[in-house]
Amino acid sequence: MRKAATAHELPDTGQVRAQAASRPTSRPDMMTRLRPYLYLTPAMICFILFFFYPIGSIIYLSFQDWSLINLEAMEWVGLQNYTELVADQEFQQVLTNTLVFTFATVGISLGISFLLALWLNKKAKMYGIIQATVFSPHIISFVSVSMLWMWLMDPQFGLLNAVLEAVGLPGYTWLTDPSSALLSLILVNVWKGVGYNTLIFIAGLQSIPGDIYEAAALDRSSWWRTLTRITIPMLSPTMFFLFIINMISSSHAFDTIAIMTQGGPINSSNMLVYYIYEQGMDYYNGGFAAAASVILLLIVGVLTALYFLFMSKRVHYR
C-alpha cells in the first residue's frame, strides 16, 4: 500500500503560489482578459467620434468669433459670446420660454398620462382599443401634427374656434397672440406625448405584483392609501425614467416651433434650439450659436444631475 505523505514531504503552499505567479501568462488567458475590451472598442470609437468630439468642437467654437460663410476667418474672443448672450434680453426671453415650456409640458403630460393609465389598466377589449387610440398621435411625425394643429387653431376657419363659437364663446387667436403662442405649443406637444407616457405607465402598473393589492384589500386599505403607499412607490422607477426622457425631449423642441410660429410673435414662442438654428443658419453667427448650444447642454446636464441627486433616493426598485 502507498504510504501517506508526511508533513515534511508536503509542498510549501507559498512556494507553489510564487512559482505559479512567476510563470508567464499563457496566451489563452491573455486573450480572455483582452476579449471584453476588443468587443467594446468599436462602440467606444463611435462614442468618441459622435459624442465627445462634437461636444469638444462646439465648446472650442463657442470661444470664437466666426461666420458660417467664411469658416477660415476665426478670431479667439474668449468669453465674449457668453457675456453678450447673458446680457441680451432676447436670449433671456428665449431661456425663460424654454424653461416654462419644458416644465409645463413634462408636468402636464405626465399628470394626464398617469390618470389615463390608472383608468385604462384593465383587461377588457374596449380599453385596449382606447389605448391604441391614445397612443396613435405618438407615431405621427411632428410635421404632420404641426400642420394639423395649425388648421385646428386657425382664427377664421379652425375647428377650435368653431367649437367655442358654437357654445357662445368668442374665438381665440391661438398662434398670433404673444400671450397664447407658447401655451398653444405646449398644448400640441402634450397631445403628442401623452400616448407614449400612458403606455409606459400601463406597462409599469401591470408589472406590480397582484398579491400586494390583495394584501391591501384584506387590510381594508382605502383607494387613496393604496395609490399613495403602493402604486406610486412601485411606479417610481417608471416615473423616474419618463421624467428624464420627457425633460430632454421637451428642452430640444424644434419642429413645432419652426412650422407653427417661427419663434413669434415678438419672440414669445422662441426656444433655445430654434434660437441656435436662427443664429447659425439665418444670421451666420456661428460663435453665438455654439455658445447657446453649450448653455443648452449645461442646462440639460444640471437639471438631470439635480433630479438624479434629489429623486434617485426616492426610487424603489423591486
Side-chain angles (χ1 to χ4, degrees):
M1 295 178 64
R2 186 176 179 179
K3 295 182 178 180
T6 62
H8 296 286
E9 294 175 347
L10 291 175
D12 186 3
T13 306
Q15 183 178 1
V16 172
R17 290 179 179 177
Q19 292 176 356
S22 62
R23 296 174 184 172
T25 305
S26 62
R27 188 179 184 86
D29 292 340
M30 182 66 70
M31 289 303 299
T32 302
R33 295 179 180 180
L34 291 178
R35 188 177 291 113
Y37 300 99
L38 294 177
Y39 290 153
L40 289 173
T41 298
M44 292 304 299
I45 292 175
C46 293
F47 198 66
I48 291 171
L49 289 178
F50 298 105
F51 184 78
F52 287 110
Y53 176 73
I55 290 178
S57 298
I58 208 69
I59 293 174
Y60 171 76
L61 293 174
S62 67
F63 298 114
Q64 305 284 338
D65 181 16
W66 63 292
S67 172
L68 292 178
I69 299 177
N70 186 5
L71 298 179
E72 297 180 358
M74 288 189 183
E75 181 183 358
W76 179 269
V77 294
L79 297 175
Q80 179 180 338
N81 291 326
Y82 293 97
T83 55
E84 292 182 4
L85 273 178
V86 173
D88 186 10
Q89 293 184 353
E90 180 181 353
F91 180 76
Q92 294 174 8
Q93 184 179 6
V94 167
L95 190 59
T96 302
N97 293 341
T98 303
L99 294 176
V100 171
F101 177 86
T102 299
F103 286 106
T105 302
V106 173
I108 296 173
S109 179
L110 292 184
I112 295 176
S113 301
F114 179 66
L115 295 177
L116 283 174
L118 292 177
W119 174 50
L120 295 174
N121 186 29
K122 299 176 178 64
K123 296 182 179 180
K125 185 176 182 180
M126 179 188 69
Y127 292 102
I129 297 174
I130 298 176
Q131 289 177 23
T133 305
V134 171
F135 181 74
S136 59
H138 177 70
I139 63 178
I140 304 174
S141 68
F142 262 114
V143 176
S144 301
V145 168
S146 301
M147 297 297 292
L148 171 64
W149 278 93
M150 284 182 66
W151 170 74
L152 292 174
M153 294 178 175
D154 187 271
Q156 296 180 348
F157 310 104
L159 180 62
L160 294 182
N161 280 351
V163 173
L164 291 176
E165 293 173 0
V167 296
L169 297 175
Y172 204 70
T173 53
W174 299 91
L175 299 174
T176 57
D177 190 343
S179 63
S180 61
L182 185 62
L183 296 177
S184 301
L185 294 180
I186 292 173
L187 173 62
V188 174
N189 282 266
V190 167
W191 179 81
K192 190 179 189 307
V194 159
Y196 173 80
N197 296 331
T198 301
L199 199 67
I200 300 300
F201 270 130
I202 292 174
L205 288 172
Q206 292 179 352
S207 66
I208 299 176
D211 53 358
I212 299 179
Y213 290 109
E214 294 176 2
L218 292 175
D219 290 339
R220 296 183 179 180
S221 177
S222 64
W223 177 86
W224 178 253
R225 189 176 180 86
T226 302
L227 177 67
T228 56
R229 297 298 181 89
I230 297 177
T231 303
I232 293 179
M234 297 294 283
L235 269 182
S236 56
T238 303
M239 294 179 177
F240 187 82
F241 165 76
L242 285 177
F243 182 88
I244 297 296
I245 295 299
N246 280 265
M247 185 190 66
I248 295 174
S249 175
S250 299
S251 63
H252 289 75
F254 175 81
D255 305 63
T256 50
I257 305 170
I259 296 173
M260 299 181 70
T261 64
Q262 293 81 47
I266 321 175
N267 206 44
S268 60
S269 64
N270 200 0
M271 281 175 272
L272 268 174
V273 174
Y274 191 77
Y275 179 84
I276 295 168
Y277 169 80
E278 282 186 322
Q279 292 295 325
M281 299 302 169
D282 291 345
Y283 308 133
Y284 303 107
N285 194 345
F288 259 39
S293 301
V294 174
I295 292 176
L296 175 61
L297 176 66
L298 291 175
I299 291 174
V300 174
V302 169
L303 290 177
T304 305
L306 289 176
Y307 189 72
F308 268 93
L309 179 64
F310 292 107
M311 298 303 297
S312 59
K313 296 180 181 179
R314 299 179 179 271
V315 177
H316 304 279
Y317 294 100
R318 53 186 184 274

